[in-house]
Amino acid sequence: EELVFLNASRKAHAVAKERDEGLVLGFYTLGFFGKKVLGKPNDAKHAQQMLVELNGKTHLIITAIVAIDCSNGKKSRCLTRHW
């Protein structure tokens, strides 16, 4: 979970550092299938292979969301888990 938060935070900070106001959101998602970490597929064929492998099987998807208020630097975060 911390890796997912860290990557979402890095994405948000990369944009927020260039702004003086507004709200910036950073998202990062990883999938887990047993002990295997599922990242973003490389291409359409790889995506299809992943879907076939996961079809009908329990797997976990974790998404972290980090929000940064550019006017004051305050940061909020949340995590979603989907089985």
Side-chain angles (χ1 to χ4, degrees), residues 36-54:
K36 185 176 182 180
V37 177
L38 306 170
K40 188 182 288 189
N42 301 324
D43 54 31
K45 183 178 179 181
H46 185 213
Q48 184 178 10
Q49 290 171 342
M50 289 174 70
L51 291 172
V52 168
E53 181 180 16
L54 296 172

Side-chain angles (χ1 to χ4, degrees), residues 63-83:
T63 298
I65 305 163
V66 173
I68 300 175
D69 183 335
C70 296
S71 65
N72 59 23
K74 288 186 180 180
K75 183 165 72 170
S76 299
R77 66 186 211 167
C78 72
L79 187 77
T80 63
R81 290 181 193 89
H82 301 277
W83 294 94

Side-chain angles (χ1 to χ4, degrees), residues 2-67:
E2 284 305 311
L3 173 64
V4 180
F5 272 127
L6 178 63
N7 286 333
S9 184
R10 285 178 176 160
K11 287 182 165 189
H13 279 287
V15 175
K17 70 181 181 183
E18 299 176 4
R19 292 176 171 56
D20 295 326
E21 60 183 18
L23 183 67
V24 173
L25 300 176
F27 293 80
Y28 193 79
T29 301
L30 275 180
F32 300 89
F33 181 54
K35 295 185 183 230
K36 185 176 182 180
V37 177
L38 306 170
K40 188 182 288 189
N42 301 324
D43 54 31
K45 183 178 179 181
H46 185 213
Q48 184 178 10
Q49 290 171 342
M50 289 174 70
L51 291 172
V52 168
E53 181 180 16
L54 296 172
N55 187 32
K57 299 176 185 130
T58 300
H59 54 282
L60 173 64
I61 303 296
I62 298 177
T63 298
I65 305 163
V66 173

